[in-house]
């Protein structure tokens, strides 16, 4: 039997990096799948990858795409001969027209760009299928669910968690839920205004979805609390929760 599938956090902060956290990027090394491309992308070099890297972007806010230019240099060091960037069309356009405008970056990267549609399944390595669905966030965001024969995971970042939000039905019975949790309950109003989630709501979403386990990430880099996320506020609703740290590995 194959070893359990590993999911690696290359970066776990929202907004911008802190001394201990880079911005969001999650790698499934065995299958060459990268969810978002934040500043933690330099950690790709620590992993053995297949030759084809498939990047799936939730949206084009800088904390989720700022690592894409680094792939130009990382490709040869990581043994990558093919990189496909997958996202819905407005996100692909924003990245190509703005991030890779000559005035911001000197070289057009040799990526393949693939347009995704929400609610459509696409094949991924390992006999899996990925499906994107819309999230509520200023400028829009896409959550992803991947189902493999051995289990399922979902990646939900940059949204305001709410048990009656349409995306929650996409998460039903998922084995591993990765959900953003930028704020504690004390900052619920600010979370709403900025389109982010807070602890108690994330716990309620995981419970409503009947998730197997929950790992929270996209942490506020400005938080002065240690740890920055109050897990007790989540555990009131959903006990099987962990806080992601940079370079942490979780199994499906
Ligand atoms: Zn973000
Ligand atoms: Zn965002």
């Amino acid at each position: 039997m194959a070893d359990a599938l590993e999911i690696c956090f290359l970066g776990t902060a929202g907004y911008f990096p802190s001394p201990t956290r880079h911005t969001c990027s999650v790698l499934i090394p065995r299958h060459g799948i990268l969810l978002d491309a934040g500043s933690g992308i330099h950690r790709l070099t620590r992993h053995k990858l297949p030759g084809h890297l498939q990047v799936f972007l939730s949206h084009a806010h800088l904390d989720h795409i700022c690592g894409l230019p680094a792939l130009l240099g990382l490709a040869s060091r990581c043994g990558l001969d093919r990189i496909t960037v997958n996202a819905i069309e407005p996100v692909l356009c924003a990245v190509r027209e703005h991030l890779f405008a000559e005035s911001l970056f000197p070289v057009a990267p040799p990526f393949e760009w693939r347009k995704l549609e929400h609610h459509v399944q696409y094949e991924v390595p390992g006999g899996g299928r990925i499906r994107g669905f819309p999230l509520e966030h200023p400028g829009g965001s896409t959550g992803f669910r991947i189902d493999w024969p051995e289990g399922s995971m979902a990646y939900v970042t940059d949204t305001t968690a709410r048990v009656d939000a349409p995306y929650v039905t996409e998460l039903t019975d998922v084995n591993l839920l990765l959900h953003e949790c930028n704020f504690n309950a004390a900052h619920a109003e600010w979370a709403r205004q900025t389109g982010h989630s807070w602890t108690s709501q994330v716990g309620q979403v995981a419970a409503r979805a009947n998730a197997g386990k929950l790992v929270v990430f996209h942490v506020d880099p400005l938080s002065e609390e240690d740890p920055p996320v109050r897990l007790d506020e989540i555990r009131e609703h959903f006990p099987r929760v962990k806080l992601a740290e940079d370079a942490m590995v979780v199994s499906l």
Side-chain angles (χ1 to χ4, degrees):
M1 199 174 125
D3 295 337
L5 190 64
E6 291 190 333
I7 289 112
C8 307
F9 285 90
L10 306 186
T12 58
Y15 196 12
F16 58 84
S18 74
T20 53
R21 293 178 186 272
H22 276 282
T23 70
C24 286
S25 200
V26 172
L27 177 70
I28 301 141
R30 186 185 301 168
H31 299 319
I33 295 171
L34 187 68
L35 299 161
D36 280 338
S39 63
I41 204 164
H42 63 91
R43 295 196 171 102
L44 269 183
T45 55
R46 299 182 182 184
H47 298 276
K48 187 172 165 358
L49 300 171
H52 184 191
L53 183 71
Q54 295 240 32
V55 186
F56 290 85
L57 297 176
S58 62
H59 63 316
H61 284 168
L62 279 173
D63 48 331
H64 300 260
I65 63 164
C66 63
L68 283 174
L71 277 178
L72 192 67
L74 289 171
S76 61
R77 284 188 56 193
C78 297
L80 300 171
D81 49 35
R82 187 175 168 201
I83 296 170
T84 307
V85 178
N86 301 271
I88 59 168
E89 189 161 28
V91 172
L92 292 182
C93 288
V95 169
R96 297 179 73 173
E97 288 174 21
H98 302 298
L99 185 67
F100 289 110
E102 212 176 26
S103 51
L104 266 75
F105 193 70
V107 185
F111 302 158
E112 294 169 33
W113 307 91
R114 184 170 69 157
K115 183 177 81 168
L116 301 181
E117 304 286 347
H118 283 148
H119 306 301
V120 174
Q121 288 197 323
Y122 301 88
E123 288 183 11
V124 288
R129 289 178 176 275
I130 191 167
R131 171 184 158 100
F133 45 88
L135 301 170
E136 290 168 26
H137 186 60
S141 183
T142 294
F144 293 103
R145 176 178 178 138
I146 314 178
D147 288 88
W148 286 282
E150 70 266 42
S152 55
M153 66 171 283
Y155 176 84
V156 177
T157 192
D158 290 49
T159 194
T160 305
R162 204 180 69 238
V163 280
D164 56 352
Y167 78 88
V168 179
T169 57
E170 305 280 349
L171 310 177
T172 304
D173 297 332
V174 74
N175 297 123
L176 172 65
L177 172 59
L178 313 184
H179 201 297
E180 77 127 294
C181 194
N182 210 78
F183 296 109
N184 292 321
H187 298 109
E189 194 41 50
W190 184 233
R192 249 190 224 105
Q193 284 179 36
T194 56
H196 287 292
S197 296
W198 67 94
T199 47
S200 46
Q201 291 290 326
V202 174
Q204 287 176 40
V205 163
R208 174 67 65 92
N210 193 35
K213 51 190 176 181
L214 168 67
V215 181
V216 291
F217 70 106
H218 199 290
V219 170
D220 178 7
L222 289 169
S223 173
E224 291 176 346
E225 293 178 47
D226 184 22
V229 174
R230 283 197 51 185
L231 293 178
D232 59 309
E233 294 180 350
I234 300 176
R235 287 197 180 111
E236 257 178 57
H237 307 279
F238 189 84
R240 299 178 299 284
V241 60
K242 263 190 196 171
L243 170 62
E245 304 290 347
D246 278 29
M248 190 172 103
V249 178
V250 292
S251 296
L252 193 65

